[in-house]
């Protein structure tokens, strides 16, 4: 190497513009693993020399090759002296696959650019291992975008409770629909996005009132088929879920978990027929006559390996999870209509939030509807520590 950092064999060092372009491409292709890699994170990788891409790859399936290995395999011997861009810190442990750090060192790349750290205690510190092997390692390019992409994975491995997204289809006066009647609020494009969201979460959560009114199926039926069907979870304090509901009748298609007050009279008697039908009934502490401890529900979900939860309703569940601080992201699908005083409120009894608690991070038109994504200040604080 010369004093200016130029290697005549490898070529001129990449410019900042090239670094950004290659990392953005790594982030873009990482999304191709949506719904297929949980509990692993989404990861994309690019091997490049200057502006020339020599190899690319993404983590496509849980248990399959990691993004770095796929990209390096495509680059082959051309990887020697090149730069590897990867959206998450390479792992250094043997899990479903061998450690990525070993493959990177063997490849001969001279520089590794990492968007963000991996907080998983089994996998982290891959950057240090690469530096010890003599590679130039840089961390943080497009770090905010990388952290947002893998927010559920990063949150879980920092806080050890599931990440929660709240999905709401809302009228312009913040109503969920007409009273006591199943009411489609948004259009087909918004519904397509909801199915994509379902495929990207480990569990879908609703309250029993939503079952009584909508009798939903809650399966992911979009273009992205999830590797593992998300668990369909119901908050049902008094265990009134009927055996004839779509959830129970389709329990062989996707698991159904029902959370109920373990101390309520008749808990075991009501749980028995549901369990016989294949439903998992989980007793947790109650909070009054009609509510459960959301903290206890979240702990149970985490202990059962659920990293992410999509909360789909209704208003009481939305308000309860928001009130107890369990929601990190809100997907608000806004429809151009009003329901007036007879509509079902989206957040009954919820206290006003503090200014700055929520901030919009995405807006997009979906036909006549609009989706706005909000993230909580607490999520930003946790991710900033990575």
């Amino acid at each position: 190497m010369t004093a200016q950092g130029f290697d005549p064999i490898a070529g001129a060092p990449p410019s900042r513009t090239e670094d950004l372009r290659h990392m953005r491409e790594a982030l873009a292709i990482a999304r191709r693993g949506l719904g297929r890699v949980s509990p692993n994170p989404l990861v994309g990788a690019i091997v490049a020399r200057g502006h020339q891409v020599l190899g690319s790859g993404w983590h496509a399936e849980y248990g399959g090759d990691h993004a770095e290995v796929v990209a390096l395999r495509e680059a082959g011997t051309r990887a020697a002296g090149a730069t590897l861009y990867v959206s998450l810190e390479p792992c250094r442990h043997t899990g479903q696959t061998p450690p990525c750090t070993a493959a990177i060192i063997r490849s001969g790349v001279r520089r590794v650019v990492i968007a963000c750290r991996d907080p998983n205690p089994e996998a982290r510190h891959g950057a240090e291992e690469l530096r010890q092997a003599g590679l130039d390692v840089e961390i943080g390019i497009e770090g905010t975008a990388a952290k947002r992409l893998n927010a559920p994975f990063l949150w879980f491995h920092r806080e050890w409770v599931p990440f929660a997204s709240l999905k709401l289809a809302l009228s312009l006066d913040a109503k969920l629909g007409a009273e006591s009647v199943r009411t489609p609020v948004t259009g087909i494009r918004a519904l397509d996005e909801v199915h994509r969201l379902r495929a990207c979460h480990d569990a879908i959560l609703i309250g029993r009132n939503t079952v009584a009114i909508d009798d939903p199926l809650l399966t992911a039926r979009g273009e992205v088929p999830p590797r593992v069907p998300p668990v369909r979870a119901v908050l049902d304090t008094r265990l009134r879920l009927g055996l004839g509901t779509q959830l129970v009748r389709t329990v062989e298609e996707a698991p159904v978990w029902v959370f109920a007050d373990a101390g309520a009279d008749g808990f075991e008697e009501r749980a028995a027929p549901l369990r016989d039908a294949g439903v998992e009934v989980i007793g947790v502490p109650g909070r009054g006559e009609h509510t459960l401890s959301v903290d206890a529900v979240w702990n149970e979900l985490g202990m059962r390996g659920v990293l992410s939860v999509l909360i789909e309703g209704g208003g009481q569940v939305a308000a309860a999870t928001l009130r107890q601080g369990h929601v990190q992201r809100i997907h608000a699908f806004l429809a151009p209509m009003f329901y007036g005083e007879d509509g079902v409120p989206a957040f009954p009894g919820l206290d006003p939030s503090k200014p700055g608690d929520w901030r919009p991070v995405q807006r997009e038109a979906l036909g006549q509807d609009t989706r706005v994504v909000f993230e909580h200040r607490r999520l930003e604080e946790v991710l900033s520590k990575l």
Side-chain angles (χ1 to χ4, degrees), residues 167-179 183-187 190 330-347 368-372 374:
K167 186 279 297 182
L168 292 167
L170 300 168
S171 63
L172 294 180
D173 54 347
K175 300 297 174 61
L176 298 175
E179 183 72 38
T183 312
V185 178
T186 50
I330 298 174
H331 294 263
F333 294 85
L334 305 176
M337 63 174 68
F338 295 89
Y339 281 103
E341 294 183 359
D342 294 333
V344 179
F347 311 103
Q368 67 176 4
D369 306 316
T370 302
R371 173 165 65 170
V372 184
F374 299 87

Side-chain angles (χ1 to χ4, degrees), residues 34-239:
L34 283 169
R36 306 300 303 175
V37 300
S38 182
N40 284 355
L42 298 165
V43 185
I46 298 289
V47 180
R49 180 177 286 108
H51 68 276
Q52 183 183 11
V53 174
L54 307 174
S56 64
W58 64 93
H59 186 31
E61 193 81 13
Y62 178 74
D65 287 336
H66 289 189
E68 304 94 314
V69 172
V70 177
L72 290 169
R73 182 187 302 129
E74 182 176 305
T77 57
R78 296 175 298 168
T83 298
L84 170 67
Y85 298 85
V86 60
S87 59
L88 188 72
E89 182 178 19
C91 66
R92 64 182 186 92
H93 75 298
T94 299
Q96 295 287 328
T97 61
C100 290
T101 51
I104 294 169
I105 293 168
R106 287 196 306 269
S107 74
V109 299
R110 65 164 181 163
R111 179 170 178 253
V112 180
V113 180
I114 299 166
C116 74
R117 290 277 195 177
D118 187 342
N120 185 345
E122 290 186 343
R124 62 187 178 188
H125 302 311
E128 283 70 25
E129 184 169 314
L130 295 174
R131 284 178 176 140
Q132 290 172 5
L135 279 70
D136 180 13
V137 178
E138 184 173 351
I139 303 172
I141 292 179
E142 289 294 286
T144 299
K147 292 172 185 178
R148 183 163 292 137
L149 174 66
N150 275 314
F153 173 85
L154 300 173
W155 173 273
F156 183 85
H157 286 288
R158 285 285 299 192
E159 302 297 302
W160 298 109
V161 291
F163 177 96
S165 302
L166 172 61
K167 186 279 297 182
L168 292 167
L170 300 168
S171 63
L172 294 180
D173 54 347
K175 300 297 174 61
L176 298 175
E179 183 72 38
S180 302
V181 179
R182 182 170 185 171
T183 312
V185 178
T186 50
I188 188 64
R189 289 189 60 187
L191 181 60
D192 289 342
E193 284 300 301
V194 171
H195 282 294
R196 188 187 68 81
L197 285 173
R198 287 178 179 177
C200 299
H201 288 78
D202 297 330
I204 304 165
L205 181 72
I206 61 172
R208 197 199 67 86
N209 285 343
T210 298
V211 179
I213 295 170
D214 294 347
D215 190 22
L217 190 56
L218 293 185
T219 51
R221 304 184 299 279
E223 293 183 0
V224 178
R227 181 182 67 87
V228 177
V231 170
R232 298 173 292 174
V234 182
L235 303 184
D236 185 8
T237 308
R238 292 292 179 260
L239 272 183

Side-chain angles (χ1 to χ4, degrees), residues 342-357:
D342 294 333
V344 179
F347 311 103
L350 188 66
D351 297 330
S353 63
K354 298 177 183 177
D357 276 356

Side-chain angles (χ1 to χ4, degrees), residues 16 33 69 297 316 344 348:
R16 183 58 58 181
V69 172
V297 172
Q316 295 288 350
V344 179

Side-chain angles (χ1 to χ4, degrees), residues 225-290:
R227 181 182 67 87
V228 177
V231 170
R232 298 173 292 174
V234 182
L235 303 184
D236 185 8
T237 308
R238 292 292 179 260
L239 272 183
R240 295 170 181 162
L241 183 66
L243 297 179
T245 59
Q246 287 200 93
L247 291 175
V248 177
R249 288 189 287 108
T250 60
V251 71
E252 297 298 327
E253 297 179 20
V256 178
W257 297 354
V258 178
F259 293 90
D261 184 350
D265 292 340
F267 171 82
E268 290 298 337
E269 290 80 358
R270 291 175 178 173
L274 288 170
R275 286 170 173 157
D276 289 343
V279 174
E280 183 169 355
V281 179
I282 304 166
V284 295
R287 292 171 61 94
E289 181 66 20
H290 301 292

